[in-house]
Amino acid sequence: MPTYRDEVVVLRTHKLGEADRIVTLLSRRHGKVRAVAKGVRRTSSRFGSRLEPFMVADVQLYQGRSLDIVQQAESLGSYGADIVVDYDSYTSASAMVEAADRLNEAEATPQQYLLLVGGLRALSMREHSARHILDSYLLRAMALSGWAPGLEECARCGAPGPHDAFVAQSGGMVCAACAPTGAARVHPVAVSHLGALIRGDWVAVDAAPAAATTAASGLIAAYAQWHLERGIRSLSHVESRP
């Protein structure tokens, strides 16, 4: 059908002409969608504020040849206003939507949509450290795409752990025989923290020592950017503190 409805997260926007915008959306049922929102930059626009980054909306779209057209938009989650007033939340949310935008069509599943919505909601409500929310999101998004890092057995040869070297290119923790020269050495507490982030064990995550969370954040950033094949530019603005 040429017209359809879906729930979406706004990932990014670009100006088009004098009053329009191109919006990139991660939808619940139709994957990633690029659409034109006509007239939203005019002050009289009825739904311009509902199509800003980090917002969640119920939209009606008309299916076009190259770009769809937004016909209606109703707010489902106004997370953007609470996110943009806090630097840590804003930079973390920016990295999250940038990572979501890198998903290919096959990976843009309903589970990815729900994961991103949950992460943005948690950031807006300050439920946990912004960096913890970002790290958990990146790991779980990678896992949903089939790239969960190996943390117990060697990611290369399958030798039982525990191991103390992490190699993003190999898929996670590796044994001494598989670890290349200069591989990052990881303390067991940091490895445990990585597991807690993937599981969403927030009691353990929030109790982790700063040294472990900082080390884990660096590994997660390297791992996500390796598998997404391009750097996540927003990560350079994310504070390293937990």
Side-chain angles (χ1 to χ4, degrees):
M1 295 180 64
T3 300
Y4 64 97
R5 296 192 74 91
D6 207 343
E7 298 174 15
V8 302
V9 178
V10 181
L11 303 180
R12 57 190 172 97
T13 68
H14 291 99
K15 293 180 181 178
L16 178 65
E18 294 295 322
D20 305 339
R21 277 200 182 104
I22 296 175
V23 292
T24 301
L25 313 167
L26 179 63
S27 72
R28 185 166 188 162
R29 295 183 295 276
H30 294 84
K32 282 198 301 181
V33 176
R34 295 184 75 237
V36 176
K38 294 187 175 182
V40 295
R41 288 162 54 204
R42 297 194 184 101
T43 56
S44 59
S45 172
R46 292 176 298 170
F47 53 81
S49 63
R50 302 167 194 167
L51 295 174
E52 295 290 339
F54 318 138
M55 305 297 276
V56 181
D58 181 342
V59 298
Q60 179 173 300
L61 301 109
Y62 179 83
Q63 197 169 42
R65 290 184 178 180
S66 58
L67 294 172
D68 294 351
I69 298 173
V70 180
Q71 296 179 318
Q72 297 178 12
E74 298 295 334
S75 178
L76 295 177
S78 299
Y79 305 131
D82 292 321
I83 287 173
V84 298
V85 297
D86 178 74
Y87 179 80
D88 289 347
S89 297
Y90 173 73
T91 53
S92 294
S94 297
M96 288 163 60
V97 297
E98 187 178 347
D101 193 23
R102 299 286 173 81
L103 299 172
N104 64 44
E105 289 303 325
E107 295 164 350
T109 61
Q111 291 78 17
Q112 291 282 8
Y113 166 83
L114 292 171
L115 178 65
L116 181 58
V117 171
L120 294 174
R121 181 189 300 116
L123 283 175
S124 72
M125 298 179 68
R126 316 285 191 266
E127 291 182 357
H128 307 281
S129 158
R131 189 60 195 256
H132 287 167
I133 294 170
L134 168 61
D135 287 343
S136 181
Y137 169 78
L138 290 174
L139 282 174
R140 295 165 87 173
M142 294 298 101
L144 286 173
S145 296
W147 299 328
L151 299 179
E152 298 178 4
E153 294 82 13
C154 174
R156 189 168 184 183
C157 72
H163 305 297
D164 68 352
F166 186 95
V167 181
Q169 300 91 321
S170 297
M173 304 299 296
V174 296
C175 66
C178 293
T181 302
R185 300 293 169 176
V186 188
H187 192 279
V189 177
V191 178
S192 177
H193 181 62
L194 289 170
L197 287 166
I198 293 176
R199 297 190 306 272
D201 182 353
W202 290 105
V203 173
V205 167
D206 292 339
T213 63
T214 299
S217 291
L219 298 175
I220 293 165
Y223 187 78
Q225 294 184 101
W226 169 263
H227 284 288
L228 291 172
E229 298 181 348
R230 288 183 294 168
I232 301 174
R233 290 178 297 175
S234 301
L235 280 176
S236 64
H237 301 292
V238 175
E239 297 285 349
S240 60
R241 66 177 181 268

